Amino acid sequence: MLKNISNLQATLEKLLTTQQGMNAEGQVADYIPALASVSPNLMGVSVATIDGNVIGAGDYQVPFSIQSISKVFGLVMAMNRIGDELWQRVNMEPSGQPFNSIIQLEWEQGIPRNPFINAGALLVADVLTSHFSTSKLAFLTFMRSLAGDEHIYIDNNVYQSELAHGNRNAALAYLMKSFSNIQAEIPEVLSHYFTQCSVAMSCQQLAKSLLFLANKGLDPISQHNICTARDAHRVNAILSTSGMYDQSGEFAFSVGLPAKSGVGGGVIAIVPGYGVICAWSPPLNTFGNSVVGTNLVSGLAAELGLSIYH
Ligand code: GLN
């Protein structure tokens, strides 16, 4: 692994230049209209290491909608709050379906395949809504403390847009409620879920915030235990099998890192024992993963030999 930070900086700059023009191969998400107004030409990449370096290139300090990357943080909060009981209500298997699919949920009696598809994240949102008096504030506070930045905010424009176009997520939540797998009122669950998806953060902030997953649950900056080593292992395992939705198999095959994408164009990848990569570019491929973001993570992993399967 590359320990020399100035070499790493040069590597990030070089990788970005290889991606100029590649964003034309994807489409910015427009099913949430507020996301469609983001420039497709923005791109950035950041690396945070557990020994304290945080570097980046391109638009790595520009906040973007974290969207489904929020599912990682929500899951950690729910695991910390209710422990193994969570795994009675959500599984840990890849879905083999698009992230917002509803078909499987009916067959499998309202138990989502994993916490990183929308149904699973809505289940987690229900746990948070039911177990925190103010779950939205608790989520924002968690994000601010992990990133060490009180300025992290919820983008209200994105939130309103998700709420106005959230029929499919509402359908997933109501279907789970019909199987008694949702406890809180659906509007509250949706409001929590859309709030966490609407948090705006930069590549640099996200990379820093996830260092605990590369370090057995311990945040190397604050020295706080964010989760147990066992739970960090479990989150990384599900990220490896399900974090890139229906492209997770190919991503494991070609890159080999636990990773999570969001329809805002962000991709995070955990390198256990080393650090976190976060890349961002809004245009998405057909799986809902950022084209350039995926290429940047993949390029860096190949260049530095980061696969966990070596
Ligand atoms: N808020 C988005 C949705 O519910 C999150 C999806 C994603 O980032 N893949 O559709």
Side-chain angles (χ1 to χ4, degrees), residues 31-32 35 65-71 99-100 116 118 122 158 162 165-166 168-169 172 193-194 197-198 245 260-265 284 287-289:
Y31 76 101
I32 302 170
L35 295 180
S65 191
I66 68 172
Q67 290 296 317
S68 282
I69 298 173
S70 70
K71 293 170 179 170
F99 65 84
N100 55 3
F116 296 144
N118 284 17
L122 286 159
V158 174
E162 292 216 49
H165 296 85
R168 180 170 279 266
N169 285 315
L172 291 166
Y193 173 70
F194 294 143
C197 290
S198 305
Y245 303 117
K260 184 78 205 80
S261 62
V263 291
L284 309 177
F287 300 103
N289 299 325

Side-chain angles (χ1 to χ4, degrees), residues 143-220:
M143 301 310 290
R144 287 176 170 170
S145 77
L146 284 173
D149 189 342
E150 288 302 304
H151 301 295
I152 286 171
Y153 63 96
I154 294 156
D155 184 332
N156 190 46
N157 194 24
V158 174
Y159 173 80
Q160 295 300 340
S161 192
E162 292 216 49
L163 198 58
H165 296 85
N167 291 330
R168 180 170 279 266
N169 285 315
L172 291 166
Y174 278 110
L175 186 57
M176 285 190 284
K177 188 137 180 116
S178 79
F179 286 105
S180 304
N181 199 17
I182 292 277
Q183 290 162 356
E185 294 307 317
I186 301 299
E188 277 186 72
V189 174
L190 293 174
S191 178
H192 175 96
Y193 173 70
F194 294 143
T195 298
Q196 70 171 51
C197 290
S198 305
V199 168
M201 287 171 76
S202 66
C203 289
Q204 175 174 275
Q205 289 170 329
L206 276 168
K208 261 174 82 176
S209 303
L210 285 161
L211 281 171
F212 69 96
L213 287 180
N215 196 36
K216 298 184 159 65
L218 176 74
D219 182 340

